[in-house]
Amino acid sequence: KKIEAIIKPFKLDEVKEALHEVGLQGITVIEAKGFGRQKGHTELYRGAEYEVRLLPKVKVEVACAGADVDRLAEAITSAANTGTIGDGKIFVSSLDSVTRIRTGEKNEQALSG
């Protein structure tokens, strides 16, 4: 499975630590911009008001065995939660194939150790 989590940038270290504590060995982190229900906000710059429609976010991607999805999603949820709008979303999807480039290992073997 592939887990994609969109979180607030300042929660990244907590999410990384939570995933490490539950035994995850690797993640991919991508800086992103977007909005959900919060629809951005208004800021002042040199006396002029302007609207920020795309807010900074971080996308965390994890590939894991299907049996690990709930445990990893719960770790992300616990670490990323602030209780305010814009905390993010977690998406889980199926992977058709995984190959470890160095060894050529496929699927479950490519995800382990």
Side-chain angles (χ1 to χ4, degrees):
K1 298 286 184 177
K2 180 178 181 183
I3 299 173
E4 296 174 277
I6 309 298
I7 63 172
K8 292 180 176 182
F10 68 89
K11 286 300 210 169
L12 178 59
D13 286 338
E14 291 176 55
V15 168
K16 285 190 315 188
E17 182 61 32
L19 290 171
H20 178 73
E21 286 176 11
V22 296
L24 188 73
Q25 295 184 13
I27 66 172
T28 300
V29 177
I30 302 164
E31 291 184 22
K33 291 185 180 198
F35 70 90
R37 276 193 266 158
Q38 79 271 30
K39 307 238 188 313
H41 61 275
T42 303
E43 289 188 3
L44 282 176
Y45 179 71
R46 295 188 176 182
E49 196 173 274
Y50 69 100
E51 223 175 299
V52 177
R53 294 178 191 239
L54 296 175
L55 300 173
K57 301 287 181 182
V58 172
K59 181 178 181 182
V60 177
E61 295 184 348
V62 175
C64 65
D68 296 332
V69 168
D70 290 339
R71 183 171 52 92
L72 297 175
E74 178 55 38
I76 294 168
T77 300
S78 296
N81 185 11
T82 67
T84 60
I85 195 166
D87 274 353
K89 294 262 191 319
I90 297 174
F91 306 97
V92 178
S93 55
S94 295
L95 293 174
D96 292 334
S97 175
V98 178
T99 302
R100 179 173 294 160
I101 294 172
R102 178 178 53 87
T103 63
E105 293 170 299
K106 301 264 186 198
N107 303 321
E108 293 290 327
Q109 291 78 30
L111 292 174
S112 63

